[in-house]
Structures are given as structure tokens and as C-alpha cells.
Amino acid sequence: MKELIATMKKVHDEYPDSHFHIHSGNGLDIRESVEKGLYDFGLFVGKLDFSKMETYPLRYKNIWGLICRKDDPLASLPYITKEQVCELPLITSRQGMREQILHDWLGKEKKDLNIVATYNLFYNAGFMVEQKLGYALSIDGLQQSHEDLVFIPFEPKLETPLFLVWKKYQAFSKAAQKFLEAFKAGEAGEDGQ
């Protein structure tokens, strides 16, 4: 989000009459809205079916891990293994489980895991972890809205790519076109290209 917001700021500085609306949701909802042309762009974690969209891969990747309370004995671990994860009561992302990301990493099917709850946005999952319902499987950074939670990365590491997407053959407004140009220029500029 930092890259997107930095681009929004740059575009707004150059075109002060431009306005932005951000909607947070799960990947399936956002993909449907982009495909219907309701949103100009979507930011996606992991690979979905992008056959009806243009994609721009970001150079950053999200790192998966376990989120627990700071006072939990696991909180002091530098990383957590799949064997350790499989023995815990889990709170999982519906999207992550549907896309097989976590199944593939864990080497287990959903029926073989102790999944006590699922979530579509992390905010509520954080409260479940705080109340000791279980441990959340999530990407790093989402726990920051809950000061009593910590992130422990998986070992071996599990990363998922990020994509900026838009509808194929989309006729962009001038503002959306300027945003896309500025975003791509910022991405290339940061790599020194």
C-alpha cells in the first residue's frame, strides 16, 4: 500500500483535482469489481485467475507466518515450522485456504488441520488471536493494528507475489491513466532502471 499511496500523492500533487477511493476487501470481491469496471485497479496478494485482466507484478513479495499474542510462549521463536503449525488451533484466511497456498506449504488438507475460524480481512482475526481462540496464519504487517500481537515467519519461507491489475481493454479516465503511468515509473525508478 505504501507504493500505491506514494503514487497517489505524486499524482495528486501534479493534478490537485484528482480524487482517490480505496476499498479493502478479499481478492474475489475485488477481482469481480475490477472485471466489471467498477474499480480502475486492484492490488492482489497471490495469483488468482487474471485471465480477464492485465497484470503488473510488483517487485515486493509478502511473507507468510503465524500471528500470536506477545505473551505466548511461541512469541520468542525466530521462525515456526510446518510441524509446529499443524499442531495448533488455527485461524486462517479464506482466500489463502481456497488458493491452496497454505495447504501446499503445510503439506496437509483442510480436513487434517485444526481450523477453529476463518477470516476474509485480518482485523477481526486479530481480535480472535487476542482472545486466545487460536493462532492466525497471515502475511506480515497485518498484525500492526493490534499492538499485543507478533508475527513469526514460516521456515521454510513462504512468499506470495503482489500484482496491480486492471480490466483488459479498459478505457481509462485521464486520472487513472496518469496514476498507472506514475506507478510504473516509480517502480522502475526504485530499481534504478
Side-chain angles (χ1 to χ4, degrees):
M1 284 304 295
K2 287 181 183 177
E3 283 183 73
L4 292 179
I5 293 169
T7 302
M8 290 164 58
K9 170 84 169 97
K10 182 178 178 182
V11 170
H12 189 265
D13 286 350
E14 192 170 339
Y15 304 96
D17 290 335
S18 60
H19 300 278
F20 302 91
H21 173 73
I22 296 209
H23 175 86
S24 297
N26 69 45
L28 299 174
D29 294 339
I30 300 297
R31 181 182 70 193
E32 183 177 308
S33 294
V34 170
E35 286 175 354
K36 289 180 178 178
L38 301 174
Y39 300 151
D40 291 317
F41 304 101
L43 178 64
F44 289 88
V45 175
K47 292 186 176 184
L48 292 171
D49 175 14
F50 293 136
S51 60
K52 296 179 182 176
M53 292 183 265
E54 297 291 337
T55 62
Y56 186 83
L58 279 66
R59 56 192 180 93
Y60 296 105
K61 293 187 187 296
N62 279 319
I63 298 172
W64 283 84
L66 183 84
I67 295 179
C68 68
R69 292 168 48 111
K70 286 182 180 176
D71 62 358
D72 190 284
L74 296 176
S76 63
L77 296 175
Y79 58 84
I80 191 150
T81 66
K82 32 179 118 175
E83 293 78 20
Q84 291 168 306
V85 169
C86 288
E87 295 182 13
L88 300 172
L90 302 174
I91 302 164
T92 65
S93 156
R94 282 188 3 224
Q95 183 176 329
M97 295 305 278
R98 195 176 310 127
E99 294 172 18
Q100 289 292 112
I101 296 167
L102 296 171
H103 294 301
D104 293 346
W105 184 82
L106 291 167
K108 301 260 184 189
E109 290 300 317
K110 184 177 180 178
K111 66 180 177 54
D112 299 322
L113 299 170
N114 182 14
I115 298 174
V116 297
T118 60
Y119 65 90
N120 68 336
L121 294 175
F122 182 79
Y123 188 71
N124 290 328
F127 290 122
M128 291 185 249
V129 174
E130 287 175 350
Q131 294 299 313
K132 300 183 180 181
L133 179 62
Y135 298 83
L137 303 181
S138 182
I139 56 176
D140 191 14
L142 299 183
Q143 77 283 358
Q144 293 173 353
S145 61
H146 298 271
E147 61 186 47
D148 294 328
L149 302 182
V150 296
F151 176 84
I152 307 165
F154 290 154
E155 180 59 41
K157 185 187 280 188
L158 175 61
E159 295 179 322
T160 52
L162 292 164
F163 297 91
L164 183 69
V165 304
W166 57 94
K167 183 179 177 180
K168 279 189 179 179
Y169 316 113
Q170 178 73 17
F172 284 126
S173 67
K174 190 176 267 188
Q177 185 63 44
K178 293 293 181 189
F179 174 84
L180 184 58
E181 290 168 6
F183 183 80
K184 287 181 174 181
E187 276 272 299
E190 289 179 15
D191 283 334
Q193 297 175 352

